[in-house]
Amino acid sequence: MAPNMTIVQDKMRGLFPANEPRSRGRLKVSPLHDLYYEEAGNPDGLPVLVLHGGPGGGSSPNLRRFHDPAKYRIITFDQRGCGRSTPHACLDQNTTWDLVADIETLRQHLGIARWQVFGGSWGSTLALAYALTHPQAVRQLILRGIFTVRKCEVDWFYQHGASMLFPEQWERFVAPIPPEERHDLVAAHYRRLTGADAGERMASARAWSQWEGATLSLYPDPAREQAFGEDHFAIAFASIECHYFINRGFFAEDGWIIANAHRLKGIPGIIIQGRYDVVTPPATAHALHRAWPEARFEMIPDAGHAAIEPGTLDALIRATDSFAHAKGA
Ligand code: STX
């Protein structure tokens, strides 16, 4: 091993201990949609909004464990139509810009002036769309597994690319779709996910959801793959993702986030990306960093897409700790 290859690691950091939310609430954000949110950590700490992925993935207890609960006031919520938000899997009044508006509604509801925004994957997309729309409300950005819903990113994961790396999982993803419809798999799944046939709907939801569950990390996790196929989760995750992707993330143009990312200058940011991320490959994180060079960029050499792979988790925890000393609100 060359001398500069010697890997001398301080102790790798892990999640903070499991903790219970200090409070839970519901917020009516439209005539149709009701959001579920939770607060944890120190009520007088630095406010942070932790965004989940998907879209449609919902919050999980682990999302409260990336920040020191003694230093941070940690807020999570379930985006429209998923988790404990209602109505479940509802696609009406459900766009990126509705979610951006919901984040502002929640911020004002909680009496927070500015907050850190932390998100991976779709959580990074939403964090970026929010920061570009309401920069004055964002103290810092910590982003992982960068995703901007460009056509090339959606094609890579749902049409051709990732298929070459995970051929046996890919067979299951395409199984519900007849060969003559496979030239556009997002559209073909969308027809089934929004169609009247409940059996077809569930088969498509399970295939869609398990494709992602099977490709998230370097090492397989059969329990996670199983969980992604569970009806209640899969129907929201698959329908909402497919709805956002067929609508190209509701952005004005393909590549809108990266074209506008220079406007993030002035917001302290950290970008963390797994080298072997098959869901949201590193080219997007690289393009984001080119457009926003003031952000700190960390490429994790031995990680895929998941937040809890060791190198990625270590980088995320060091990132939140590095911002925990910042003063003021
Ligand atoms: N979707 C990427 C995404 O945001 C294309 C995502 N992938 N997996 C997740 O989110 C969860 C693990 C949060 C469900």
Side-chain angles (χ1 to χ4, degrees):
M1 196 184 261
N4 65 353
M5 291 287 289
T6 311
I7 298 168
V8 182
Q9 278 281 11
D10 293 335
K11 191 173 171 306
M12 294 275 274
R13 303 287 305 274
L15 291 171
F16 288 97
N19 56 47
E20 281 302 305
R22 193 164 40 74
S23 66
R24 303 171 164 84
R26 302 196 68 88
L27 192 60
K28 193 161 184 58
V29 288
S30 85
L32 193 53
H33 287 278
D34 218 57
L35 302 186
Y36 173 79
Y37 69 89
E38 293 180 341
E39 285 193 67
N42 179 350
D44 300 316
L46 290 165
V48 58
L49 177 68
V50 179
L51 293 172
H52 68 70
S59 304
S60 72
N62 276 355
L63 290 185
R64 297 192 289 271
R65 300 176 60 191
F66 290 91
H67 293 80
D68 185 341
K71 294 178 178 161
Y72 278 101
R73 175 181 175 188
I74 303 159
I75 294 129
T76 57
F77 78 100
D78 292 330
Q79 295 159 29
R80 292 189 184 202
C82 69
R84 281 176 260 187
S85 292
T86 57
H88 189 67
C90 175
L91 304 181
D92 298 331
Q93 298 170 21
N94 197 340
T95 74
T96 306
W97 305 111
D98 290 318
L99 303 185
V100 165
D102 293 348
I103 295 173
E104 273 301 85
T105 305
L106 183 60
R107 182 182 65 77
Q108 283 156 14
H109 175 73
L110 296 171
I112 291 168
R114 294 169 75 220
W115 47 8
Q116 179 187 114
V117 182
F118 175 103
S121 198
W122 166 258
S124 79
T125 322
L126 183 56
L128 287 162
Y130 175 67
L132 287 168
T133 312
H134 300 285
Q136 74 293 339
V138 180
R139 286 178 63 89
Q140 301 123 349
L141 284 169
I142 299 178
L143 308 173
R144 179 210 101 247
I146 306 306
F147 181 49
T148 64
V149 205
R150 291 178 297 175
K151 183 178 186 316
C152 63
E153 298 168 49
V154 174
D155 283 352
W156 159 270
F157 192 61
Y158 296 107
Q159 191 62 41
H160 182 76
S163 55
M164 300 285 275
L165 291 167
F166 287 92
E168 54 292 35
Q169 293 81 357
W170 182 256
E171 276 180 353
R172 298 200 288 274
F173 175 68
V174 302
I177 309 300
E180 62 274 17
E181 290 182 54
R182 290 187 188 170
H183 60 279
D184 189 345
L185 288 161
V186 172
H189 273 292
Y190 192 69
R191 283 191 287 276
R192 284 159 182 79
L193 289 166
T194 56
D197 185 316
E200 277 197 351
R201 191 165 174 237
M202 205 53 238
S204 176
R206 203 172 292 119
W208 179 284
S209 183
Q210 288 191 315
W211 165 239
E212 199 156 325
T215 52
L216 275 173
S217 49
L218 283 185
Y219 291 99
D221 179 347
R224 181 184 61 213
E225 283 174 48
Q226 194 69 31
F228 271 59
E230 186 265 315
D231 287 11
H232 186 80
F233 175 84
I235 202 72
F237 189 60
S239 317
I240 295 172
E241 280 199 339
C242 199
H243 167 71
Y244 274 67
F245 302 160
I246 207 163
N247 287 291
R248 298 250 171 273
F250 303 94
F251 293 113
E253 52 171 329
D254 196 43
W256 183 85
I257 285 182
I258 287 166
N260 285 276
H262 62 278
R263 297 197 277 114
L264 298 168
K265 186 183 169 119
I267 300 179
I270 302 178
I271 300 166
I272 295 164
Q273 174 68 44
R275 168 67 72 190
Y276 296 103
D277 183 337
V278 166
V279 182
T280 59
T284 304
H286 180 77
L288 176 65
H289 188 229
R290 278 271 181 268
W292 179 30
E294 299 81 8
R296 189 154 69 75
F297 185 57
E298 272 194 67
M299 182 73 85
I300 309 302
D302 55 355
H305 183 67
I308 54 164
E309 289 176 275
T312 303
L313 178 56
D314 176 62
L316 288 168
I317 302 292
R318 284 187 291 101
T320 65
D321 268 5
S322 77
F323 283 149
H325 311 292
K327 294 258 292 283

